[in-house]
Amino acid sequence: MRAAGNVDKADILKGDDGRSKGCGIVLYQKPQEAARAIRELQNTQLNGRPIFVREDREQGGHGHGHHHNHHHGGHHNNHRNTGFMHGQPAEEGCQLFVGNLSWETGWRELKDHFRQCGDVDRAEVAEGSDGRKRGFGLVRFHRAQDAQAAIQKLNGVEFMGRTIEVRLDNKV
């Protein structure tokens, strides 16, 4: 984890029995370091196990100078998140709304699809409190020009069997 930046704290989450839950939280000193960890360490190996790196959406302490990354090794997080696109606010012109997504689209598919237009910091697919997908998502690019390129290239294009709408997110 240190390869991405200065780590303030790293914790392995454990169950009541003291055994690892297979995930942990790493706090970086700067948001750029957390973003770098997501970009560079996602889908790599740690001690022979695949890791999945994302911004921590379960923590409530955003905006206090610490930047959280959540690392899952070997399994998917089953917690349902009713909040949406937590973490550092997007710079103007970097965050896109993506509508008319198929019910099968997950955040990974969405992020992978939008990577063809530039450096994607984060992608989310909205879910209701029941865990069912709501048919839309958000994609946050590192640079506004990449977001504009995605609008030009992907708006009105078929993705996973649906014609998607891609526009600037007006709720940023």
Side-chain angles (χ1 to χ4, degrees):
M1 300 294 125
R2 282 190 206 124
N6 294 320
V7 175
D8 277 345
K9 185 177 178 184
D11 289 319
I12 302 295
L13 301 181
K14 296 181 180 176
D16 293 334
D17 61 359
R19 294 177 49 191
S20 169
K21 289 184 173 183
C23 60
I25 298 177
V26 176
L27 279 70
Y28 287 93
Q29 290 180 355
K30 298 179 183 174
Q32 300 92 326
E33 294 168 340
R36 181 178 178 197
I38 292 167
R39 280 193 310 274
E40 296 180 6
L41 300 176
Q42 172 69 344
N43 295 319
T44 61
Q45 298 272 321
L46 180 65
N47 297 329
R49 294 187 64 180
I51 62 170
F52 309 100
V53 185
R54 66 166 173 80
E55 191 171 354
D56 182 21
R57 293 173 285 213
E58 312 303 324
Q59 264 326 75
H62 296 292
H64 297 290
H66 292 291
H67 307 283
H68 305 266
N69 278 348
H70 212 154
H71 304 277
H72 293 274
H75 73 276
H76 187 278
N77 182 7
N78 291 321
H79 297 292
R80 297 295 177 210
N81 179 22
T82 56
F84 203 51
M85 204 52 101
H86 293 272
Q88 291 297 109
E91 290 183 29
E92 191 170 334
C94 290
Q95 189 161 297
L96 302 177
F97 170 87
V98 183
N100 201 34
L101 293 173
S102 77
W103 305 124
E104 290 78 34
T105 303
W107 70 267
R108 281 190 187 103
E109 292 86 6
L110 188 61
K111 186 172 186 176
D112 288 344
H113 185 63
F114 277 77
R115 278 188 177 137
Q116 64 185 291
C117 298
D119 190 11
V120 176
D121 282 340
R122 186 176 179 85
E124 298 262 344
V125 173
E127 294 180 354
S129 59
D130 60 357
R132 295 175 63 173
K133 305 236 173 84
R134 297 181 60 201
F136 70 92
L138 299 176
V139 175
R140 184 180 301 159
F141 282 91
H142 190 67
R143 300 178 321 175
Q145 64 242 40
D146 294 340
Q148 285 299 318
I151 293 169
Q152 295 297 315
K153 185 173 185 176
L154 301 176
N155 185 41
V157 171
E158 186 176 313
F159 174 59
M160 295 184 71
R162 304 287 299 263
T163 302
I164 59 172
E165 172 194 1
V166 181
R167 62 174 168 78
L168 281 176
D169 180 16
N170 59 17
K171 298 196 177 178
V172 176

